[in-house]
Structure formats: C-alpha cells, structure tokens
C-alpha cells in the first residue's frame, strides 16, 4: 500500500512541476519520468529480496553489480535528465532494462512478473504511438523479448502470474496505437505464444485458463478488425508452414487441456527454468520458416512489412486447422460427448466466429481468405455440424449465420449443402439426432428465418434452380411439421417452429406495397423445346431480368418433377410426357435424355441404371452423353467413381457394368490423364476398384484382399507399366475406409456429405450461377406464399388448439392476421377461406352441447380471441372472402340466437345517415338483463328478444341470481362482440368487391334455408328472418350494384312468398323488404326500374290469408313508393304492377283508403298520368268507383279522376301536333283515341251502377268525357264505335234495368233515363255536323231516333213516365231544328232525292206525329210531298234502310253497326 501511495504522490508532484508549454496529446514529461522511476524502484525492490541479487549490495565497493541491476540504476539516473518530449525519445532507452530482466533466465518468477507489469504500464501510458522515434524496432523488441521470456520457476502460483502478465503485455502490444508497426511475423509469433499458453493452461488454475482464452479471443478480434483497413493484397507466407501450423501438429499429438499432461512449461528447459515461446525466436531465427527451405527475398519483405492480410491468412488457416485435430486424433465427432472432447473445436469455432464478425464483408476482397472459408472452413463446419455436442452445433450455426450475412454471394452451394446435409438432416429424428440437437437446429433455422430476405433468397437461388434442392420448401415443411405436437403436449420446440413460420410471413407482409415486377399472376408455358439446362439469365443483378428467369426455372423444375414421377412409373410413357410438355425434343436426342437423367431429382436410380446399361445403340449414346456431364478434373479416381455411381444404381449384369465403366473411364481419362497412360488403364483400374470394394465390404467374403494383393492385381495395366505404389496404396486405403455405394439412396431424405460430394461441390461452385441478392421488394412472395400458406395455417391452428398461455394465443392470432393480409394482397381467396374455416373451429358458441353458451364463451379467452380475429379479417379483407362467408355467418347467427349482436345489425344507408345526425344506434347493452333474469322473464315484442323468451318456455320456477363469475363472463362476451364490429360487415358492404359481395349474399340465402310452411316462429324461422334482414340491408347498401345481387335476392323472396300459406314474420319481412328495396332504389336505378316493379307482382301471388293480413301495410308502402318515385316510373310494365296493386285494394276495408290516396296522387291534375299508365290508371279508378268500401263519395271522386283525365289526352294531342312528325302524330293520335275509348268504356260500366249517385255521376262524367273529346282529334270511325259500344249500350242497358229490376235495388231509374237521353241528344248534336258526311250517318240518326222512340214508350213500374213523355218530344224537336238549321234536314232534300227526310219522319211520326208540322211549316211540307215521288228511289249506294216497326224499335242493342 505504501508503494502505491508513493507512486501516486510522485506522479502528482511531477505533473505540478511540468511547464505549461508541454506538447499537446502526450503525457506530462516529468509525470512519465516519475512513473518509470517508480517501476524501476519496484523491480529493484523485488530483486533485493532475492539472495542472488541482494549479495551485491552487501559486498565491498570493488565488487561490480550485476548487469541487470546496473542497467536499471543507470536508467534511473538518466531518466530525469532528458529534456525532449517523450515521443522524441527512443523507447528502447527506457524499455531495454526491463526487457533484459524479462529475457534473463537468472531471474525468478516474481522479478519477471514485476518487469512485465512495468512494460505493460509503459505501453498503456500512450507515450508510444506510430509517431514515436524508432517505434517499429521498439515494438519488435518488446514482442521478441516477451515471447522469449525466461524465468526460474519457484512455485506454480507465481508461474501462473507471469504467464498471465505475458498475455497482458502481448495483448497491449496489439491494442496499442503503435501496433500498426508490428510485422506479419510478430503478429503470428504473438498468436503462437498465446495459443501455447492456452494449450498448456489446461494443467494450471481456472483463472489462467480463462484469461488465456480471453486474450486469444481479443487478439483475433483486434487483428481481424484491421482487415477492412488493409488493401486488396492476396499475399501469404507460402514458403513452408508457419509456427502456427507446427503448433497444430504438436497439438494433434495430445489433448488441448488434458489433465493427464504433467509436462509443465519448464519441461523443455533444465535447471527448473521455464520458457514460453516457440522454438523460433528473434535471436535464433528472424523469420517464420521451416522445412529446411531458404526464405526468398519476396517473403522476407512480407514478413518484415506492417502486418496485414498475410498474417491473417496464416492465423485463419491455423484456426481452421484446429478443427482437424479431432480427425488427427482419430475421433469421431458423432461419438458420445464423454469420449469426444468438445473444448478444442468449440474454442476454435469461437475464434473463427469472432474473426468473421470483425472481418465481415472484407473477406471477399482477399481471395486467399475467401478460399479458406469456401473450402476448408465450410468442410469442417459440415463435419462439426453433425456433432453430438449442442454447444458445438450452436456455434457452427452462428458462424454460418454470420457467413450468410457477409459472404452469401460467395457461398451459394456451401450454404445449400449446409442446410441440406446438416440442419435439415439433423432435424429429422430418423437420422439419430438427439432432442438437444434438434432444438439447436430449430433455433438456428428460426434465426435464419428472422432475416427478412433469407427465405426469398433461398427460394430464388435454390428452389428455382434445377440443379439445387428445394431449400425453401424443405425448411417450410420442416417448420410446419415441427409445430405439430404428435401425441405429446405443446413444447417450446413447437412454439419455436411456429415463430419461424410467422417470421417468414412477417417478412412477406412487410414487403407488401414495396413494389414488384408485376409478374405474380402471369401464366408460364412452354411453347417450344429449349434445352432447359442451357438457359441463362442476362443480368442477375437486375430484377427485371432475374425475376422472370427464376420463375421460369421454377416452372421447368415443377414440370421435370412431374415428368420424373411419370418416368418412375413407366420410362417410355415418362419420356413421351416430357416430349409433350416441350421439356424434351419431339425427336429424342442422347444429350437431352442424358441431361434429364443428370439434373432431375426424384428419378428412380434403378431405372436410370437399367437404361444406361442397355445395349441399345441410343441407350449407349445416352450413357456417353451422361458421362460427359461430369467434371472429373483434379479428382482422384476413387472419388470420381464415387460421384459417378451416386447418380444411378450400377446394374448387376457384367456386360452392363462394362459398358458403364467404359463410359466412365473414357471421361475420366479425358479430364485427368496425369498418371494413367490411356483410357484402358482407367477402365482396368476402375474394375479393380469395384472388385476391391465388393471384397472389403461384402460380409460374405471371409478372406479380405490385402494391399499387396491389390497392388499385385494391378501390375502392368498402365500401358504395360506399373502404377506408382503410393497411388495404389492411397486407393486401397480409401476404398477400405469408405465404401463405394453401388446401390445409392433414392432421392428421398437428406444425403450425407461425403468427400467425393464435397469435391464435386467445389468444382460445381466455380461454374454455378451467381447468388441472387434480393432487395425489399416482393418479387417472388406470391409464389412463395402459395407454397407456404397451407402449412402455416395448419401449424397456427394446431398450436392454437394445444396452447394454454395467452401469449401463445396472441402469437397465433398475429400469425393469422399476417397470413390474411398477404392473402388479400395477392387475391388468394382460397387461402383466406381456409384461414377463416380454421379459425371458426375455435369459437365455442358454435358448440350447442354447452349448457350456458354465453358464459362458456365469456370464460374461454381462446374462443373470444378467435372470434375477434375472424371478424377483423372479415372487416379488413372481406373483399377476398368467398366460401368463408358461410362460416362467418354461422358465427353471426349463433351470436344472434344468443342475443349478443348489436340491436341495429341490419342498418342500411338511411339509418347510417340518421345515426350521423345524432341518432345513435342502440347497442346490445341490455345483454345482462336479457340473459341473466332474476325473476320470471318479461314478455318482449322485439325480434331480438325472442331467443331469451325461448330460454324460459316451460319454466316453472324463477331462476336464481347470477354469480359474479357469470356476470364477468357475460361482460367479457359483450366486450368481445363490441370489438368485432360485426355490423360494419353489412353497413360497409358497399365497399366489397363484386365477387365477394355475391358470395356473401349467397351465404346469407343458404344460411336462411328454405322456408317451411306454417305460422309458428321457430328457431329456423327466426334465423331466416334475421338473414333476410341482412340481405335487404346489403341490397340497399349496394344500390349501385343492384344488378349483381337482384336475381338472387328476388328468387329468395319469391320462394318465401310463394311458400307461405299463413301470415308469419318471415313472409312479412319478405314482402316489406321487397317494397322497401323498390322504394329506395327506383330513384337511382332507372335501367332496372321495370324489373324492380315487376318483382312487386309477387305481392299479387300472396296466399289470400297472408294478403289479407298485410294488405293495409302493403298499401301504405306502395303509396309511399308511388309518392316518392312516381316520376321515375316510366314504362307501362311498371305502371301495370302499381295499378294492379292499387286495384286490389279497392274492395279491401282497411287498405282501400291508402290505395285510393295513392291513385289520387297519380291522377290529380294529371301530374303523373302518362300515355304509358293512362289506361291502367283509368281502370284502377273505375275499380275504386265500382267499390262500395269508401261510400259514394270515394266512387264519385274516382269518377271525377276519370273524367278529368280527358284533359291529359287533349294536352298530349296538342303536344304531339307541335313536336312530332306527321307519321308519329298519326300514330300518337291513334293511341290517344284508343285511350279515350277505354276511358268511356270504363264509364259505361259505372253508368249501370246500382247506386243512384254513382250512376248519375257516371253519366255526367261520361258526358264530360264525350264533350271533352272536342280537343282530341278523333276519327269518325272512333265516334261511331263509341256510339255503338258505349252510348247506345248504356241507353239500352239502363232501359232494361228500369224495366226488369226492382225499384228497391235501383232507385230513381227514371232520373237516370232522363240523364242518359239528354246525353245522347247532346252528343249527337255535338257531332252530327262532322258525321253528316259519313256513309253511315243515316244509320246513326235512325239509331238515335230508335232509342228516343223506345224511351218515349217505356213503362216504369207498369206506367209510362210523364217526364220522359215530356222530355223526348222536346229533345227530338230541338234536334230536328238544329239539323234543319245545319242544312242536314231541309226541304230541298226531298228535291234532291235524299231518303233521310222520309226515313226521319217515319220514325218521328211514331214518336210525336205532330212534330213535323211544328218543325216545318205547311208550305214546306206540301212542296216536299210534291217531290216525294220523284226522289223515292234516290237512296245512297249501299244503304238499305227500312222504317222499323214497333217491334224492331223495341229491341235492345240496335245501333249503327
């Protein structure tokens, strides 16, 4: 403690004395001098304790001090005398005394330890950097001194202290600023020294072991962190092995940390003196060289220059060679853990991992380093990857992950081999891997999957490469399979595998929207044959090129796999199939078939062997082409033969074997003719190898062939000469050690990496396509997701089903949502449907076996989470749901039956609008009161409460109060449903894509089922009603797409209407839903207005009992429809439906008022009367007029509507004349005439009405219509038809009624007859002038006279009517006078020979004999009589008029026809 205080105080004093002008960036000169002085004193103090050194101080002055003590004292005297800054002072001056102590073999461990501490302190003072004088020589001197440290061992503890301080000083050298001045040789020496300490520390204390390993680790980190700063120099120490390699060889002769190694660090030095250094020191040999070879000047330069790539190559090679120690020891890494010491490879792997972490991508710029990684390192990683030690395996996986990050573009085939031959192989329990190994493998695979682009790059580089395995698919299948607990509870392994799948999916989800090439849905096909093995990509760095290329290759690969399956069943048909798919040419050639055999996985190797061994000429050609696909360059004969025979099974027949080996020998000699004289030599030696292989590995052969036998059997086969014995010996031992499998495994499972396969892999890696680097765009995600989605959904479902923790539940739900998001993005509706189906299985409300489903649902967090997820998917990604809607509707219907749904589930757009204006939708907040009654349930009239009523049917006793747990469960249920936003599915359905919307409606119709006849409200009917409500709401919310939905909706409603025989809720919903649809959609969809209105004819098909029950409400709805949409109904078909619906209400007591209001709205002032609906409206008005439901007032109103409609006809006539062409006017006028005729015909029936007021008003209305026809251009023929069909029949029928019917039934018929007669007279007088020129005018006039004559003579109740007796002569006289004044009936007519005069007076005389004299004076009469004879025969052509007798005049129906 006193020493520490003295040192600190000295330093403080020195700092205070330092002048202010000291150089910036360097420590205070005096302070440093004080510190060094302290260190000198410390070393001397320790030396004085030793008898050997202390004796010099006690002798007389003439005796000299030891040189070590003297140098220290000299330094002490000089140190305060230096005036320069420390960076200008040569560090050798103040370091050399300490280094001499360290190197001296006379000093003990305590002295050496203090000297090492002093050097360490000086190195860490920052007084030595790259700018210091003579820094290079100084650093070299320090390294040489420390690595050649010699000391006397006094006790093990002090020895360990010295070793730890050596490590400390060496690490400080490498970490100091001046380390850049160290040469390649010194870096190697430092590493070598540290490793020797690590090696020997196994017999020492735990602390030394840990510090030694830590120091080695830090050294590697410091050295390789410098890699990115050095230039691209591919240089190495090539002349022989370095001391590092020598150390490896020494290590191969003993254990790394063997407890049995009793040899201490001083074993190589006598007199109990230890040394820690390689045999090569600075003093003895300044370079790293061995083998007795001289060092060339070039390598001298490499050794002496500042350290860089050369030493890194040596160090990395040394680290890789450490992994070969096990092989040198003759141990199998797959043997049990006790026998296999994992410490060596684990330590080496840790150092290698650090080197790769620090070097990173810089390795690719240095071919020597890269070559070590590609070959030696990866080969060892493949070996140790199969280690039984989980620690070793875990470290191997970590290294490969780092290599993937930094160097994957340079390690394409190595990565494939590692996944196929190590990870995927170990993951299969059938290969003997332990559970711990499988767990480590799974963790590693999941780590890889968490790299966002890993799976995409695996798919692009391997799955889409014909010559590579399907790494992506294999990993995906493994993860999915590993997530399935088979007869075991769910474990962390299952969760880990699921995490891997979700990580892959998450990567795809994050790439959504990042952009792609747009080839996801493009169809691939082969239009013509091209050799698939020759296809190349123009640019693997441009996605526009490589994306389409790899997708095409994947398509070819799939087709080849299908072709392989066909070939395995029937080779001939398999080749024909490949020809049909353009994978082989129409005319087979040997090369294409050979390449198919060579590059297609999954082929039956027995069939390939039989084909290649066949004597057929084509097969022989294929065999030779097959052999040419192999590259045997630089391969030994046995490895080449192994590789060749792994691709097929060698046939058993000797002739076939000969043909196969001939082809092999020819190819091998062509590529590797180094030792062999000719191909015959290759053939004979190949035969000999096959025989040796059979001899050595066939259990039936008892006497095995010796090496001498093998050599003797192969004498003089090399062109008459012998092959080198060493060559044959190597072949013999290789075959004895590793069997050549002549019956290779078929293409199932994962192969083991053999030396021959590794050699082939390295050859193939030089020619393979470059590794494709992907960016963050979703180039291949569509194809990958199609492969991965099914296994992922299955895994999610199984884990969710077996899980017991909420965290796992949430993980699964997140996974489901990720899958749904990707499915929706790529429009994969089948995947989304499968997802929904899987989720719905977990919703417990679908299980009717539960006693209290609501409580069970509230208690089951799994079911509630599944429900939330299902409806989240429906709301977010409903556009891409198809059959999945049925499962979702099953859930909705079950929730509906339980009363858990919102009260306004089926709200439509109008209800949404009202909600926005402040009328909030009532939510099902009454759940607790509905389902947790404390007494007898109340009766509720709402449909939503019917289920709760059913719960208590037949209940005799009130139920008890619910428990707190039940209340909480119910509250959870309610909260879950509120989070689901189920109503949004329907209110937002207008945003669904067409196909999804159509499937939703189909699902609703299917869920509703076919209606059952009857009037009881069962559960099925309640469901049907609910579904119908939703269907109507969807229809209303999708008015712009009504054409898409209408057919299905109409057919469903039609089925309900036509199958209902009694009033019920379902038919009520159907009818009023239909009316509501029409009412809401007519203003927007004129193109289907007729179809909508035609659908209302379903109302007319209602069963009488049903129609009667709802007639009033139906009429109200129709009235609303008319009033809101009259201007949108334009076609006759539409109006016919409306008129029919209104007409049938005319005689209904409750409905007639509403029906007539609607008709009044249409016909008042002609507001909505159109040519299309005129006749229909008139007919409807007639029916209301005929109906006695609304008393006489309504009938009279209806008659007024009919008569007022004439003004519409007049208006249309005027408009037509002004706006139309002549032809159109003619057609329009004809149509108007027909309408008018229908109008008066309708009034005709009402003129015969039993009720006097109606009858008489009908006559007035008829008269008004006839009089109003003046403004309508009616033809003469139409008027004559009107007389014949309307006016005359009315008079005749009224006359008959008056004579036949009783006065009680038809009151005051006399007044009606008077009105009818007046109508006749008035109409005739209105028209006679126009009709006088008609050829049938005479007939018309005689028919009028005939009716007057009958009315004159009619008897009512047995006596003649006085009023008629007075009225008829008056009307007749007036008519005659008008005709006279109009020039129709004149005295001159007699002179002209017209018979009208004579016929007229014949009838008039029968009515009123005296009337002639009143109308015409006497002179006129005489004059006419005078002319009578002259004109008697002058009737108009075609007339055959006779004076009717009394009998004739009395007949009904006499007219002008």
């Amino acid at each position: 403690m006193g020493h520490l205080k003295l040192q600190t105080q000295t330093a403080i004093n020195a700092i205070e004395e330092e002048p202010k002008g000291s150089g910036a960036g360097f420590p205070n000169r005096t302070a440093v001098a004080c510190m060094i002085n302290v260190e000198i004193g410390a070393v001397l103090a320790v030396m004085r304790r030793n008898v050997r050194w202390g004796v010099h101080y006690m002798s007389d002055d003439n005796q000299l001090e030891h040189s070590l003590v003297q140098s220290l004292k000299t330094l002490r005297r000089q140190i305060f005398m230096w005036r320069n800054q420390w960076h200008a002072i040569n560090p050798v001056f103040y370091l050399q005394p300490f280094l001499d102590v360290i190197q001296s073999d006379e000093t003990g461990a305590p002295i050496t330890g203090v000297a090492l501490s002093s050097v360490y302190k000086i190195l860490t003072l920052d007084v030595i950097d790259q700018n210091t004088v003579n820094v290079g020589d100084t650093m070299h001197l320090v390294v040489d001194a420390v690595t050649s440290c010699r000391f006397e061992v006094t006790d093990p503890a002090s020895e360990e202290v010295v070793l730890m301080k050596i490590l400390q000083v060496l690490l400080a050298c490498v970490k100091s600023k001046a380390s850049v001045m160290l040469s390649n040789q010194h870096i190697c020496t430092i590493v070598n020294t540290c490793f020797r300490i690590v090696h020997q520390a196994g017999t020492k204390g735990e602390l030394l072991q840990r510090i030694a390993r830590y120091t080695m680790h830090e050294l590697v980190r410091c050295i390789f962190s410098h890699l990115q700063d050095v230039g691209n120099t591919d240089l190495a120490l090539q002349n022989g092995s370095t001391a590092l390699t020598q150390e490896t060889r020494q290590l191969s002769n003993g254990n790394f940390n063997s407890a049995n190694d009793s040899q201490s660090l001083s074993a190589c030095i006598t007199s109990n003196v230890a040394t820690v250094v390689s045999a090569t020191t600075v003093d003895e040999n300044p370079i790293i060289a061995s083998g007795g070879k001289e060092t060339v000047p070039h390598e001298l330069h490499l050794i002496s220059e500042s350290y860089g790539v050369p030493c890194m190559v040596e160090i990395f090679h040394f680290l890789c060679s450490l992994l070969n120690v096990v092989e040198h020891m003759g141990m199998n890494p797959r043997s049990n853990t006790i026998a296999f010491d994992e410490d060596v490879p684990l330590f080496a792997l840790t150092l290698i991992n650090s080197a790769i972490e620090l070097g990173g991508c810089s390795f690719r710029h240095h071919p020597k380093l890269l070559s070590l990684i590609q070959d030696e390192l990866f080969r060892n990683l493949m070996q140790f990857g199969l280690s039984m030690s989980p620690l070793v395996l875990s470290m191997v996986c970590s290294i490969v992950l780092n290599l993937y990050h930094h160097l994957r573009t340079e390690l394409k085939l190595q990565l494939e081999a590692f996944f196929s031959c190590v990870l995927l192989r170990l993951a299969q329990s059938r290969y003997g891997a332990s559970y711990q190994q499988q767990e480590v493998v799974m963790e590693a695979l999941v780590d890889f999957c968490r790299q966002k682009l890993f799976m995409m790059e695996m798919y692009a580089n391997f799955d889409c490469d014909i010559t590579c395995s399907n790494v992506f698919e294999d990993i995906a299948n493994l993860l999915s399979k590993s997530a399935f607990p088979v007869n075991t509870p769910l474990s962390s392994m299952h969760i880990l595998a699921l995490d891997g799948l979700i990580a892959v999916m998450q990567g795809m989800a994050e790439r959504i929207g990042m952009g792609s090439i747009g080839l996801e849905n493009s169809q691939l096909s082969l239009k013509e044959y091209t050799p698939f093995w020759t296809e190349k990509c123009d640019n693997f760095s441009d996605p526009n090129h490589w994306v389409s290329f790899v997708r095409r290759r994947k398509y070819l690969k799939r087709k080849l796999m299908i072709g392989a399956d066909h070939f395995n069943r029937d080779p001939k048909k398999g080749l024909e199939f490949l020809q049909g798919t353009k994978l082989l040419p129409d005319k087979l050639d040997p090369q294409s078939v050979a390449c198919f055999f060579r590059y297609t996985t999954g082929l039956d190797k027995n069939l390939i062997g039989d084909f290649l061994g066949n004597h057929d000429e084509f097969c022989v050609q294929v065999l030779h082409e097959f052999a040419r696909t192999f590259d045997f360059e630089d391969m030994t004969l046995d490895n080449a033969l192994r590789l060749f025979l792994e691709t097929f099974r060698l046939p058993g027949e000797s002739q076939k074997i000969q043909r196969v080996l001939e082809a092999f020998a020819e190819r091998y000699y062509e590529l590797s003719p180094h030792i062999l004289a000719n191909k015959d030599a290759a053939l004979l030696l190949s035969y000999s190898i096959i025989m040796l292989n059979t001899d050595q590995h066939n259990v039936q052969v008892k006497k095995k062939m010796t090496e001498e036998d093998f050599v003797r059997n192969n004498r003089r086969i090399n062109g008459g000469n012998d092959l080198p014995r060493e060559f044959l010996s190597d072949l013999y031992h290789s075959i004895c050690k590793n069997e050549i499998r002549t019956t290779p495994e078929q293409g199932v499972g994962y192969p083991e990496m053999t030396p021959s396969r590794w050699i082939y892999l390295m050859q193939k890696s030089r020619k393979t396509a470059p590794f494709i680097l992907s960016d963050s765009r979703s180039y291949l995600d569509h194809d990958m997701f199609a492969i991965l989605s099914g296994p992922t959904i299955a895994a999610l479902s199984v884990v969710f089903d077996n899980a017991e923790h909420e965290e796992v539940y949430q993980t699964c739900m997140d996974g489901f949502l990720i899958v749904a998001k990707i499915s929706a993005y790529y429009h994969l509706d089948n995947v989304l449907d499968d997802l929904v189906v899987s989720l719905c299985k977990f919703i417990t409300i679908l299980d009717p076996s539960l006693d209290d489903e609501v409580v069970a649902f509230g208690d089951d967090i799994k079911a509630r989470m599944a429900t939330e997820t299902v409806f989240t998917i429906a709301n977010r990604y409903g556009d891409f749901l198809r059959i999945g809607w049925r499962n979702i509707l099953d859930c909705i219907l079950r929730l509906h039956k339980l009363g858990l749904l919102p009260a306004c589930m089926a709200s439509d757009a109008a209800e949404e609008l009202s909600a926005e204006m402040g009328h909030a939708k009532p939510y099902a907040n009454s759940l607790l009161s509905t389902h947790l009654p404390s007494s007898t349930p109340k009766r509720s009239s709402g449909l939503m409460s019917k289920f709760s009523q059913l719960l208590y049917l037949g209940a005799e006793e009130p139920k008890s109060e619910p428990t707190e747990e039940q209340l909480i469960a119910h509250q959870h249920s309610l909260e879950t449903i509120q989070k689901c936003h189920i109503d949004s599915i329907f209110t937002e359905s207008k945003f669904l894509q067409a196909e999804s919307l159509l499937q939703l409606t189909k699902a609703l119709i299917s869920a509703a089922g076919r209606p059952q006849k009857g009037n009881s409200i069962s559960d099925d009917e309640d469901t049907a009603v609910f579904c119908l409500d939703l269907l109507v709401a969807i229809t209303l919310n999708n008015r712009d797409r009504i054409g898409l939905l209408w057919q299905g909706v109409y057919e469903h409603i039609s089925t309900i209407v036509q199958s209902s025989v009694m009033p019920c809720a379902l038919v009520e919903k159907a009818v009023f839903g239909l009316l509501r649809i029409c009412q809401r959609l007519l203003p927007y969809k004129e193109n289907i207005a007729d179809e909508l209105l035609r659908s209302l004819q379903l109302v007319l098909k209602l069963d009488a009992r049903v129609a009667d029950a709802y007639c009033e409400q139906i009429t109200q709805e129709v009235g609303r429809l008319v009033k809101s949409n009259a201007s949108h109904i334009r076609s006759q078909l539409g109006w016919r439906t409306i008129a029919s619906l209104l007409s049938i209400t005319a005689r209904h007591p409750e409905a007639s008022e509403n029906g007539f209001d609607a008709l009044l709205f249409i016909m008042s002032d002609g507001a909505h009367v159109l040519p299309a609906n005129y006749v229909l409206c008139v007919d409807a008005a007639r029916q209301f007029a005929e109906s006695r439901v609304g008393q006489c007032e309504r009938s009279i109103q209806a008659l007024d509507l009919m008569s007022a409609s004439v003004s519409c006809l007049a208006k249309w006539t005027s408009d037509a004349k002004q706006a139309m062409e002549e032809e159109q006017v003619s057609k329009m006028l004809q149509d108007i005439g027909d309408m008018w005729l229908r109008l008066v015909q309708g009034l005709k029936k009402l003129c015969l009405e039993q009720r006097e007021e109606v009858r008489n008003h009908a006559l007035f209305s008829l008269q008004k219509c006839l009089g109003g026809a003046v403004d309508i251009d009616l033809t003469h023929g139409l008027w004559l038809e009107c007389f014949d069909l309307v006016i005359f029949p009315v008079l005749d029928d009224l006359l008959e009624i008056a004579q036949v019917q009783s006065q009680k039934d038809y009151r005051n018929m006399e007044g009606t007859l008077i009105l009818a007669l007046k109508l006749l007279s008035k109409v005739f007088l209105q028209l006679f002038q126009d009709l006088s020129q008609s050829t049938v005018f005479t007939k018309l006039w005689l028919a009028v006279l005939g009716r007057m004559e009958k009315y004159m003579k009619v008897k009512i109740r047995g006596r003649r009517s006085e009023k008629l007796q007075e009225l008829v002569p008056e009307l007749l006289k007036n008519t005659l006078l008008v005709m006279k004044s109009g020039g129709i009936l004149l005295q001159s007519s007699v002179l002209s020979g017209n018979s009208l005069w004579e016929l007229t007076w014949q009838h008039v005389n029968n009515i009123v004999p005296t009337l002639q004299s009143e109308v015409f004076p006497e002179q006129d009469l005489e004059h006419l009589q005078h002319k009578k004879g002259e004109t008697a025969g002058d009737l108009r052509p075609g007339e055959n008029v006779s004076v009717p007798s009394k009998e004739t005049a009395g007949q009904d129906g006499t007219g002008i026809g």
Side-chain angles (χ1 to χ4, degrees), residues 564-572 597 602-614 619 647-651 656 746:
D565 184 59
H566 283 277
F567 180 86
N568 291 341
R569 286 179 293 189
D570 187 330
K572 183 178 180 181
F597 289 158
L603 289 173
D604 188 329
K605 295 183 178 181
N606 293 321
L607 295 176
I608 299 177
D610 291 339
F611 191 99
L612 296 177
N614 198 303
C619 295
T647 56
F648 63 94
R649 180 183 180 183
L650 189 65
K656 291 184 177 182
Q746 296 293 333

Side-chain angles (χ1 to χ4, degrees), residues 199 246-255 325 328-329:
H199 183 199
Q246 294 177 20
E247 196 63 45
T248 306
R249 291 173 179 168
Q250 295 173 18
L251 181 61
S252 66
N253 297 321
N255 281 341
V325 171
H328 296 156
M329 289 175 162

Side-chain angles (χ1 to χ4, degrees), residues 630 632 635-648 664 689-690 693 697 730-741 744 754-757:
F630 290 86
F632 297 135
M635 291 181 72
T636 61
L637 183 63
D638 63 313
N639 282 333
L641 194 56
R642 292 177 198 276
L643 179 64
F644 185 67
L645 295 180
E646 280 178 354
T647 56
F648 63 94
F664 165 77
I689 290 174
I690 294 295
N693 186 71
H697 300 287
D730 290 341
L731 287 178
Y732 176 82
H733 290 291
S734 175
I735 299 301
C736 291
K737 185 177 179 181
N738 296 310
E739 177 188 5
I740 296 178
R741 296 177 182 175
T754 60
S756 59
R757 285 177 179 164

